[in-house]
Amino acid sequence: MKFKKRTHTCGELRESNIGENVVLNGWVAIRRDLGGVIFIELRDRYGMTQIVFEPSHNQALHEQAKKLRNEFVISVEGKVRKRPEGTENPNVPTGNIDIVADNLIILNSAETTPFPIEDNIDVHEDLRLKYRYLDLRRAEMQKSLLLRHKMYLLTRKYFDQNNFVEVETPILMKSTPEGARDFLVPSRLHKGKFYALPQSPQTYKQILMVAGLDRYFQIVKCFRDEDLRADRQYEFTQIDVEMSFVDVEDIFEIVEGLMKVFFKEILNKELQTPLKRLSYDEAMEKYGSDKPDLRFDLEMLTLNDVLQKTEFRVFKEAIENKGIITGLLAKGCGDYTRNQLDVLTDFVKKLGAGGLIWMRVKGNELEAPIAKFLTEEEKTNIIKKLNAEDGDLIFILSGNKYKTLSYMGSLRLEMAKRMNLINENAEPQLLWVTDFPLFEWDDETKRYYAMHHPFTSPKVEDIPLMDTDPSKVRARAYDLVMNGNEIAGGSIRIHNADLQAKMFKTLGIDEKEANEKFGFLMGAFKYGAPPHGGIAFGFDRLAMLFAGRNSIRDVIAFPKTSSGMSLMDDSPSHVDENQLKELHIKVR
Amino acid sequence: MKFKKRTHTCGELRESNIGENVVLNGWVAIRRDLGGVIFIELRDRYGMTQIVFEPSHNQALHEQAKKLRNEFVISVEGKVRKRPEGTENPNVPTGNIDIVADNLIILNSAETTPFPIEDNIDVHEDLRLKYRYLDLRRAEMQKSLLLRHKMYLLTRKYFDQNNFVEVETPILMKSTPEGARDFLVPSRLHKGKFYALPQSPQTYKQILMVAGLDRYFQIVKCFRDEDLRADRQYEFTQIDVEMSFVDVEDIFEIVEGLMKVFFKEILNKELQTPLKRLSYDEAMEKYGSDKPDLRFDLEMLTLNDVLQKTEFRVFKEAIENKGIITGLLAKGCGDYTRNQLDVLTDFVKKLGAGGLIWMRVKGNELEAPIAKFLTEEEKTNIIKKLNAEDGDLIFILSGNKYKTLSYMGSLRLEMAKRMNLINENAEPQLLWVTDFPLFEWDDETKRYYAMHHPFTSPKVEDIPLMDTDPSKVRARAYDLVMNGNEIAGGSIRIHNADLQAKMFKTLGIDEKEANEKFGFLMGAFKYGAPPHGGIAFGFDRLAMLFAGRNSIRDVIAFPKTSSGMSLMDDSPSHVDENQLKELHIKVR
């Protein structure tokens, strides 16, 4: 099918083009027949332009245009004219002109699409994924992909300007299942052996620092065989960053610089830096979360001090067991019904809390089932501490420190919703959360796990605690949080073979296992490893937030469903038995 | 270990900095003890700077500096001074200054490295790969990685400026083993099913055209489970490009624009465009290759016309069987000995040729074993056609057209070497090879295969031949060749479901199989697919050529060996039986 090359895109023509002969190629978005004249809105990635087929102008062509249906692909030649007065469309940039067609070539026809090619459609996501090539024709999806493209460019330009080198690290690498589950790839040449897809290029980027690359970044695919959610995919994209001869402040400076660029170039806003910082402990005590959403207040308050000498059993036990008593003030919610309070009690119970203590503030008094167990002084101090007033509602939880804080953190978010405190259009709020615990104890396997990963450096002053009380060791680790989402996380790394060995030991990884899995890294540390640290951004989530979408699937061209399927091409799929034979594997 | 942040890199200080107090961090590259003074060449990615430890300046520090060994990582504070006259080093940009040390912190020690950190080392590549973190400290390797980084940026900037969108396509996709062998990834949630790693994002990029993205590019990892060579790796990087509403000329224009940028920004040369073009047939007849190296002449000539009526059996058969008789003139090689000629005969026989006909030109006569079978007219015409003169040597091969031409093409390269025609420093030579055959017949499986891939469009005028003589159908396919290397290949695609079905049929892929594997693409063609085409560059090879290296492994940070092993981290490796159980597979 011969067709003429377009002279303009469908988003390009203006009044200054009036009188020109042009060729446009695109899709029929809308077809109208008004008073015997056929109007076509021709669409491409760049916009829409109205084409007019007038029988008085060209009878044969008008006949031909009658065949056009939505989503036909056509090539049109014609003359640009000013639209007749009163028919302009101020909503599109080409709205003052249209094209009187002189020639039409149908490049491809189209069946009726299973859903309309429009924004804000109410269609099951499965159908959108199956017909992704139609879903991606919609303007809002193209906008998301174009924003993503812009973010790649801004990122790469920024890091290049700051002397970072982009280095590609392998996708076929060694399986080191510390952390999430690996995806495995059987080797054909090495029977019974497997490659793994990277959960992150962590070891490679550290190796690049040992290699003296000084400043590395990469926008890179990573893989985790974990169950999927709205903000998780099997394969996801990271902005991966590592720097040598740095401390935490240097990483913050580089990252804040990038965020300033995003704010400026995408949101057209000046981001004020340095960003707010909260230690993990502060974040947990105030917001019950290590990724607090600071777009609204509603802070939690620790009540241990005002209840230090309480005789109320529940609180007393919490204090004796080095636990916490945390309170939340729900301004003006004193009129919550018993039923509403039961619902909220169920809410925290489902999370694992033993129950929920609530108190209504009436004048200067607390009205609550447990009121009788507290002294007048304690009640007064609670009111004072929480700054409570008549008509307010107070929630209190107590018990194991971090668990209790996280229950209250969830209740905080729930109350924020109920109290209409969340404004999706509020200024985006960024902060650093720092000083994470280095280790997490797991009750099930009875061992410590690295909260960040096993290459994270402890704070120098906490190293002795690795022998005595690992749970107290703070890491030189940090997360960047935006509107309640963790968008980046990183740490200063261990660069010393002895400290790395000590780390593995604390994690219960014996020398043999450590050597098998990470021997090359510890070996590398023996040949002059510089101090180094880095960070990795969840690029999909970042793109989602800047695009103002609610699912990362809306900023990924070809995402998988929550069961890891690609509905468009129906993968994963069965493969030929011969393929498996060559790979020396069989299905159990 | 506390250390001061560097004030400068090791490549930065100049005479204008004399008198400044500075802090440098880096690696001890060279350590000299001259007359009781210790000189350190401190190295980082940016360069080298000389540090001086004088006992008269600081006795204790001089003692400390005695401990330094090569590759120790240190932080040094001191004052920049002009080097004493006569001790300047004009070979490094920092060679007019050095730093008198006032403070030294050893950040990490280093064992003796298994090979020196120098350019042009004579070390087995396996050792370099095992200690890649040391190999990459060498300036020539860092230069290659930095060039690669620059090429990423130039590529992305260029395509962005030309309205292309970078879109990430999935790594976990559907297995469609038409072409090379797939790498497979077992699914945990879907027992007995597998993902495949992409051999290329071919179907996705076509889907993006159907989705109206108009112009797509991506720098993307691809995977082929094929045996490795110096210019092949399991995982390799492509610049992947696709455009809608285009013909061959549009693709050429975009690609030539990119090559102009590379020539300008990397080689500082003006590339003349449009580039030379040869059809596949021309390239084969003149150079015996579809990727001819045009840095030297030495063209082959087809002799069919001058031997049309020959009675010499070998040539006569070639002509009767629609084969070819091809000649090559080796200027001034008439003195080749019988032994030399035997070696060359063996050379072509090993390739598969039946033998090699040679003729010495003596005056106006041909001296050759077969001379007696040719008429005087034939001999005269051969001399005339090849423009041969006294003292020249002529080679002739005959038989099946493309096979014979490719044997002669190999002999051409061999003779070019022997005649010292190849000058590695000659101007790089680029050309397009066009009009490839659409199909290749395979004698073993008795079927046609797609020479490019099954989505390649035939030339419109050749479509009827698909039914009658598929071997004669020419494709709208093209390769970009540089110095005898294919650096990019592409085609205009089929965008019509019926033609695509016809293509599968000719390839002997039945409807069921075609639907299972590519049904989604043919389905997509039903909803308005635009005409489209594209190309993919072998990025590793491109980087290798522009870096002037001989192996793609020198422009890849962490390459695998020819048996697909990563010597640094020893992968592929055995994995835990539980991992396999979760994936529902076992080793045979």
Side-chain angles (χ1 to χ4, degrees):
Chain A
M1 188 79 66
K2 281 283 160 198
F3 61 95
K4 286 202 184 162
K5 193 170 165 170
R6 69 182 168 214
T7 56
H8 298 80
T9 67
C10 296
E12 205 174 347
L13 294 169
R14 298 288 184 275
E15 282 180 277
S16 57
N17 302 101
I18 287 169
E20 290 178 26
N21 273 304
V22 298
V23 178
L24 299 188
N25 300 325
W27 284 259
V28 175
I30 302 167
R31 180 188 173 285
R32 282 190 217 93
D33 197 331
L34 293 175
V37 178
I38 295 173
F39 294 88
I40 297 289
E41 292 289 338
L42 194 66
R43 185 196 66 226
D44 66 13
R45 192 186 103 201
Y46 313 94
M48 296 246 214
T49 302
Q50 181 167 284
I51 317 288
V52 187
F53 295 91
E54 291 180 336
S56 62
H57 180 74
N58 188 327
Q59 181 77 45
L61 202 64
H62 179 262
E63 278 305 311
Q64 213 189 327
K66 283 185 180 169
K67 288 183 230 154
L68 296 179
R69 295 289 174 271
N70 278 2
E71 302 309 316
F72 273 37
V73 186
I74 62 174
S75 178
V76 176
E77 200 171 353
K79 192 178 264 187
V80 185
R81 70 163 192 196
K82 192 168 165 52
R83 288 204 199 178
E85 197 147 338
T87 68
E88 299 93 346
N89 179 357
N91 300 321
V92 294
T94 62
N96 287 332
I97 57 97
D98 58 19
I99 291 167
V100 183
D102 292 312
N103 198 12
L104 165 68
I105 297 167
I106 297 179
L107 296 169
N108 227 332
S109 60
E111 295 180 4
T112 304
T113 56
F115 50 81
I117 312 299
E118 288 166 8
D119 284 352
N120 303 312
I121 50 173
D122 183 22
V123 173
H124 195 289
E125 197 183 11
D126 283 358
L127 202 65
R128 289 174 49 206
L129 291 176
K130 181 171 163 67
Y131 297 96
R132 194 62 163 179
Y133 40 89
L134 299 178
D135 192 36
L136 293 179
R137 276 188 201 162
R138 301 186 307 113
E140 60 183 7
M141 293 304 284
Q142 298 206 344
K143 208 176 135 204
S144 289
L145 291 186
L146 284 165
L147 174 74
R148 201 177 158 117
H149 166 73
K150 187 176 178 182
M151 288 178 72
Y152 294 138
L153 278 180
L154 292 173
T155 303
R156 287 181 163 119
K157 189 175 162 197
Y158 175 78
F159 282 110
D160 177 63
Q161 284 170 341
N162 284 284
N163 268 325
F164 285 76
V165 196
E166 184 157 25
V167 179
E168 282 183 82
T169 52
I171 297 290
L172 295 172
M173 62 172 279
K174 190 186 174 80
S175 177
T176 52
E178 176 74 8
R181 231 181 257 109
D182 277 334
F183 281 103
L184 294 182
V185 182
S187 162
R188 180 172 53 88
L189 289 184
H190 304 276
K191 182 178 171 170
K193 293 189 175 183
F194 294 81
Y195 301 97
L197 304 183
Q199 295 186 21
S200 92
Q202 183 62 34
T203 49
Y204 289 114
K205 67 175 174 174
Q206 293 193 241
I207 286 287
L208 286 172
M209 294 303 102
V210 179
L213 267 286
D214 199 59
R215 296 183 152 207
Y216 144 93
F217 85 105
Q218 187 184 189
I219 299 184
V220 61
K221 277 276 179 74
C222 303
F223 305 83
R224 288 184 197 168
D225 188 3
E226 298 295 341
D227 298 333
L228 307 181
R229 301 185 311 224
D231 64 345
R232 273 215 194 140
Q233 286 272 309
Y234 279 161
E235 53 184 296
F236 56 97
T237 303
Q238 257 182 215
I239 307 174
D240 199 40
V241 177
E242 197 78 7
M243 302 166 74
S244 289
F245 302 112
V246 292
D247 205 338
V248 177
E249 295 300 327
D250 304 291
I251 310 272
F252 282 13
E253 197 184 316
I254 281 291
V255 169
E256 291 180 358
L258 177 65
M259 296 311 293
K260 275 177 106 78
V261 169
F262 285 155
F263 269 66
K264 182 81 194 150
E265 301 293 328
I266 299 171
L267 306 178
N268 198 23
K269 288 187 174 159
E270 284 299 330
L271 177 67
Q272 295 306 318
T273 55
L275 296 176
K276 189 181 170 83
R277 301 178 191 184
L278 285 176
S279 73
Y280 176 80
D281 265 22
E282 287 169 327
M284 289 303 294
E285 289 199 34
K286 280 190 177 169
Y287 306 103
S289 169
D290 58 1
K291 44 185 186 203
D293 190 340
L294 300 193
R295 286 176 301 175
F296 54 92
D297 295 330
L298 197 64
E299 289 183 10
M300 295 149 47
L301 272 165
T302 298
L303 302 173
N304 287 36
D305 53 351
V306 301
L307 295 164
Q308 200 57 47
K309 290 170 186 158
T310 187
E311 287 303 316
F312 177 45
R313 191 182 45 83
V314 177
F315 293 164
K316 196 176 170 172
E317 275 177 21
I319 285 174
E320 280 170 5
N321 296 329
K322 297 187 177 165
I324 203 158
I325 308 164
T326 176
L328 182 77
L329 182 78
K331 205 82 206 149
C333 294
D335 58 352
Y336 268 38
T337 64
R338 190 58 194 246
N339 184 42
Q340 281 176 301
L341 293 167
D342 286 347
V343 168
L344 291 169
T345 303
D346 279 352
F347 176 84
V348 295
K349 276 187 170 173
K350 263 184 201 145
L351 299 170
L356 176 64
I357 289 165
W358 53 262
M359 304 169 171
R360 291 195 179 96
V361 188
K362 299 258 178 165
N364 294 325
E365 292 296 312
L366 284 181
E367 196 183 282
I370 70 144
K372 58 178 175 284
F373 302 115
L374 301 177
T375 65
E376 283 309 312
E377 193 193 349
E378 284 164 353
K379 285 191 271 188
T380 308
N381 283 340
I382 288 172
I383 291 175
K384 219 195 271 170
K385 179 98 185 183
L386 289 171
N387 225 344
E389 293 172 304
D390 183 45
D392 292 348
L393 182 65
I394 292 170
F395 296 110
I396 300 182
L397 287 173
S398 65
N400 169 290
K401 183 172 171 184
Y402 293 122
K403 278 185 186 167
T404 303
L405 289 171
S406 88
Y407 302 149
M408 189 61 104
S410 298
L411 183 63
R412 172 182 174 263
L413 289 180
E414 179 61 24
M415 286 307 297
K417 271 183 226 157
R418 288 170 183 254
M419 294 164 74
N420 283 320
L421 298 178
I422 304 176
N423 170 8
E424 288 296 339
N425 298 318
E427 287 289 300
Q429 292 296 326
L430 282 164
L431 81 153
W432 289 106
V433 177
T434 65
D435 294 355
F436 279 81
L438 186 60
F439 301 103
E440 277 180 308
W441 177 257
D442 180 56
D443 270 336
E444 209 173 304
T445 51
K446 303 277 176 218
R447 53 163 278 206
Y448 283 107
Y449 285 85
M451 193 155 179
H452 190 54
H453 57 52
F455 313 106
T456 301
S457 175
K459 293 202 138 191
V460 179
E461 60 269 36
D462 289 357
I463 293 179
L465 288 170
M466 289 174 78
D467 298 314
T468 55
D469 189 354
S471 68
K472 285 234 166 57
V473 180
R474 287 165 304 163
R476 294 163 79 185
Y478 33 80
D479 277 358
L480 182 63
V481 175
M482 179 169 168
N483 298 352
N485 297 274
E486 179 203 328
I487 56 173
S491 64
I492 301 299
R493 327 297 185 187
I494 297 169
H495 66 280
N496 172 292
D498 293 336
L499 184 56
Q500 188 65 64
K502 191 184 181 79
M503 181 74 185
F504 286 133
K505 202 179 141 208
T506 311
L507 291 170
I509 301 173
D510 67 28
E511 218 177 302
K512 184 166 162 286
E513 191 186 350
N515 266 323
E516 257 169 33
K517 284 182 182 167
F518 304 110
F520 67 101
L521 187 64
M522 292 201 287
F525 286 172
K526 289 179 186 153
Y527 293 102
H532 61 286
I535 195 162
F537 292 76
F539 190 82
D540 306 302
R541 206 176 289 170
L542 208 55
M544 174 188 84
L545 289 172
F546 279 98
R549 310 291 301 191
N550 293 315
S551 161
I552 56 168
R553 291 191 296 272
D554 284 345
V555 294
I556 296 174
F558 302 103
K560 298 204 166 49
T561 64
S562 55
S563 67
M565 305 232 329
S566 167
L567 297 179
M568 187 178 74
D569 60 11
D570 201 23
S571 67
S573 58
H574 289 289
V575 299
D576 200 83
E577 185 61 21
N578 282 327
Q579 285 178 271
L580 299 185
K581 258 187 200 150
E582 280 197 300
L583 299 174
H584 321 288
I585 58 167
K586 59 178 166 185
V587 173
R588 280 173 198 265
Chain B
M1 189 78 69
K2 280 283 161 197
F3 61 95
K4 285 200 186 164
K5 193 170 166 172
R6 67 185 169 212
T7 57
H8 299 79
T9 69
C10 296
E12 205 173 346
L13 294 168
R14 299 287 183 276
E15 282 180 277
S16 58
N17 301 101
I18 286 169
E20 288 178 26
N21 272 306
V22 297
V23 178
L24 300 188
N25 300 325
W27 283 261
V28 175
I30 302 167
R31 179 190 173 285
R32 285 191 215 92
D33 197 331
L34 294 175
V37 178
I38 295 173
F39 294 88
I40 296 289
E41 292 288 340
L42 194 65
R43 185 195 67 228
D44 65 14
R45 193 186 102 200
Y46 313 93
M48 294 247 215
T49 302
Q50 181 167 286
I51 317 288
V52 187
F53 294 90
E54 292 178 335
S56 62
H57 181 73
N58 188 328
Q59 180 77 45
L61 200 64
H62 179 262
E63 277 305 310
Q64 214 190 327
K66 283 184 180 169
K67 287 183 233 155
L68 297 179
R69 296 289 174 271
N70 278 1
E71 303 308 317
F72 272 36
V73 185
I74 62 175
S75 178
V76 177
E77 199 171 354
K79 190 178 264 188
V80 186
R81 70 165 192 196
K82 192 170 164 52
R83 286 204 201 180
E85 197 148 339
T87 67
E88 297 93 346
N89 180 357
N91 299 321
V92 294
T94 62
N96 287 332
I97 58 96
D98 60 18
I99 290 167
V100 183
D102 290 314
N103 197 11
L104 165 68
I105 297 168
I106 298 177
L107 295 169
N108 226 333
S109 61
E111 294 181 5
T112 304
T113 56
F115 51 80
I117 310 301
E118 288 166 9
D119 283 352
N120 303 311
I121 49 172
D122 182 21
V123 173
H124 195 291
E125 197 183 12
D126 283 359
L127 202 65
R128 289 175 48 206
L129 291 175
K130 182 172 162 65
Y131 296 96
R132 195 62 163 178
Y133 39 89
L134 300 178
D135 193 36
L136 292 180
R137 275 188 201 164
R138 301 186 308 112
E140 59 183 8
M141 294 303 285
Q142 297 208 343
K143 207 175 136 204
S144 291
L145 292 186
L146 285 165
L147 175 74
R148 201 177 158 117
H149 165 73
K150 187 176 178 181
M151 289 177 73
Y152 294 138
L153 279 181
L154 291 172
T155 303
R156 288 181 161 120
K157 188 174 162 196
Y158 174 77
F159 282 109
D160 177 62
Q161 283 170 342
N162 284 283
N163 267 328
F164 286 75
V165 196
E166 185 157 26
V167 179
E168 283 183 81
T169 52
I171 296 290
L172 295 172
M173 62 173 278
K174 190 184 176 78
S175 178
T176 54
E178 177 74 6
R181 229 181 258 109
D182 276 335
F183 280 103
L184 295 183
V185 182
S187 161
R188 178 173 54 89
L189 288 185
H190 304 276
K191 180 176 173 173
K193 293 190 175 182
F194 294 81
Y195 302 97
L197 305 183
Q199 294 186 24
S200 90
Q202 182 61 34
T203 48
Y204 289 113
K205 66 177 175 173
Q206 293 192 240
I207 287 287
L208 287 172
M209 293 305 101
V210 179
L213 267 286
D214 198 61
R215 298 184 151 206
Y216 144 93
F217 86 106
Q218 187 185 189
I219 300 184
V220 61
K221 277 276 179 73
C222 302
F223 304 84
R224 287 184 197 168
D225 187 5
E226 297 296 339
D227 298 334
L228 308 181
R229 303 185 310 225
D231 64 346
R232 273 215 195 141
Q233 287 272 309
Y234 279 160
E235 55 183 297
F236 55 97
T237 304
Q238 257 182 216
I239 307 174
D240 199 40
V241 177
E242 198 78 7
M243 301 166 75
S244 290
F245 303 112
V246 293
D247 203 339
V248 177
E249 295 300 326
D250 305 293
I251 310 270
F252 283 13
E253 199 185 315
I254 281 291
V255 169
E256 291 179 0
L258 178 64
M259 295 311 292
K260 277 178 104 77
V261 169
F262 285 155
F263 269 66
K264 182 80 195 153
E265 301 293 329
I266 299 171
L267 305 177
N268 198 23
K269 287 186 174 158
E270 283 301 329
L271 176 68
Q272 295 306 317
T273 54
L275 296 176
K276 189 184 171 86
R277 300 177 191 186
L278 286 176
S279 72
Y280 175 80
D281 265 22
E282 287 169 328
M284 289 304 292
E285 289 199 34
K286 279 191 179 170
Y287 306 103
S289 168
D290 59 0
K291 45 184 185 200
D293 190 342
L294 300 192
R295 284 176 303 175
F296 54 92
D297 294 330
L298 197 64
E299 289 183 10
M300 295 148 48
L301 272 164
T302 298
L303 303 173
N304 287 35
D305 53 351
V306 302
L307 294 164
Q308 200 58 45
K309 293 170 184 160
T310 187
E311 287 302 315
F312 177 45
R313 192 184 44 82
V314 177
F315 292 164
K316 196 176 172 176
E317 276 177 18
I319 283 173
E320 281 170 4
N321 297 329
K322 298 188 176 167
I324 203 159
I325 309 165
T326 176
L328 183 77
L329 182 78
K331 205 81 209 150
C333 295
D335 59 352
Y336 267 38
T337 63
R338 189 58 193 246
N339 183 44
Q340 281 175 300
L341 294 167
D342 286 348
V343 168
L344 292 170
T345 304
D346 279 352
F347 176 83
V348 294
K349 276 187 169 172
K350 264 184 200 143
L351 298 171
L356 178 65
I357 288 166
W358 54 263
M359 303 170 169
R360 291 196 179 93
V361 188
K362 298 259 176 162
N364 296 326
E365 293 297 311
L366 284 181
E367 196 184 279
I370 71 143
K372 57 178 174 293
F373 302 115
L374 301 177
T375 66
E376 282 311 312
E377 195 194 347
E378 284 165 353
K379 284 190 273 189
T380 308
N381 283 340
I382 288 173
I383 290 175
K384 220 195 268 171
K385 180 97 184 183
L386 290 170
N387 225 344
E389 293 172 305
D390 182 45
D392 291 348
L393 181 65
I394 292 170
F395 295 110
I396 300 183
L397 287 173
S398 66
N400 169 290
K401 184 172 172 185
Y402 294 124
K403 277 186 187 166
T404 303
L405 288 171
S406 88
Y407 302 149
M408 189 61 106
S410 298
L411 183 63
R412 172 183 175 262
L413 289 181
E414 177 63 25
M415 286 308 297
K417 270 184 226 156
R418 287 171 184 254
M419 294 163 74
N420 283 320
L421 299 178
I422 303 174
N423 170 8
E424 288 295 338
N425 298 318
E427 287 290 300
Q429 292 295 325
L430 281 165
L431 81 152
W432 288 107
V433 178
T434 64
D435 294 353
F436 280 82
L438 186 60
F439 300 103
E440 278 179 307
W441 176 258
D442 181 56
D443 270 336
E444 208 173 306
T445 50
K446 302 276 177 220
R447 55 162 277 205
Y448 283 106
Y449 284 85
M451 193 155 180
H452 190 55
H453 56 53
F455 313 106
T456 301
S457 174
K459 291 202 142 194
V460 179
E461 59 269 37
D462 290 358
I463 293 177
L465 289 169
M466 287 175 79
D467 296 315
T468 55
D469 188 354
S471 69
K472 285 231 165 59
V473 180
R474 288 164 305 163
R476 293 164 79 185
Y478 32 79
D479 278 358
L480 182 63
V481 176
M482 179 169 167
N483 297 351
N485 297 275
E486 181 204 329
I487 55 173
S491 64
I492 300 299
R493 327 296 184 186
I494 297 169
H495 66 281
N496 172 293
D498 294 336
L499 185 55
Q500 187 65 64
K502 192 185 180 79
M503 181 74 185
F504 286 134
K505 202 180 141 204
T506 311
L507 291 170
I509 301 173
D510 67 28
E511 219 178 302
K512 185 168 161 283
E513 191 185 351
N515 267 323
E516 257 170 34
K517 284 182 182 167
F518 303 111
F520 68 100
L521 187 62
M522 293 200 286
F525 286 172
K526 289 178 184 152
Y527 292 100
H532 60 286
I535 195 162
F537 294 77
F539 190 83
D540 306 302
R541 207 177 287 170
L542 209 56
M544 174 187 84
L545 290 172
F546 279 98
R549 311 290 303 193
N550 293 316
S551 163
I552 55 167
R553 290 191 296 272
D554 284 346
V555 294
I556 295 174
F558 302 103
K560 298 207 165 47
T561 65
S562 53
S563 67
M565 306 233 325
S566 167
L567 298 179
M568 186 177 75
D569 60 11
D570 202 24
S571 68
S573 59
H574 289 289
V575 298
D576 199 83
E577 185 60 22
N578 282 327
Q579 285 178 271
L580 300 184
K581 260 189 199 148
E582 279 198 302
L583 299 173
H584 319 290
I585 57 168
K586 58 179 168 184
V587 174
R588 281 173 197 266

